[in-house]
Amino acid sequence: MNFIAQLKARFAIMGELIAFLWLRRLWWMIPMVLVLLGFGLLIIFTQSSALAPFLYPLF
């Protein structure tokens, strides 16, 4: 599988999770999932960049 296909698969899983939470009326969990996803993306994209030292004071 190439990178684009893997990316689509990951976003499909997140879309299914949000749809499940919406269907089950678990609206209060959607902001938590989005915040955790945001932190995960922040960690992944700043792992080996020059921005890492500026993120340490945030945590």
Side-chain angles (χ1 to χ4, degrees), residues 49-59:
S49 72
L51 295 175
F54 299 109
L55 292 177
Y56 292 138
L58 297 177
F59 300 103

Side-chain angles (χ1 to χ4, degrees), residues 29-46:
M29 286 190 71
I30 293 173
M32 274 194 288
V33 170
L34 293 177
V35 167
L36 288 173
L37 178 66
F39 278 130
L41 290 173
L42 182 70
I43 289 170
I44 289 170
F45 287 129
T46 59

Side-chain angles (χ1 to χ4, degrees), residues 3-24:
F3 178 72
I4 301 298
Q6 288 177 347
L7 193 62
K8 284 182 182 179
R10 289 181 192 266
F11 282 125
I13 290 171
M14 285 305 301
E16 288 182 23
L17 177 64
I18 297 297
F20 172 77
L21 293 175
W22 190 264
L23 182 67
R24 299 286 179 177

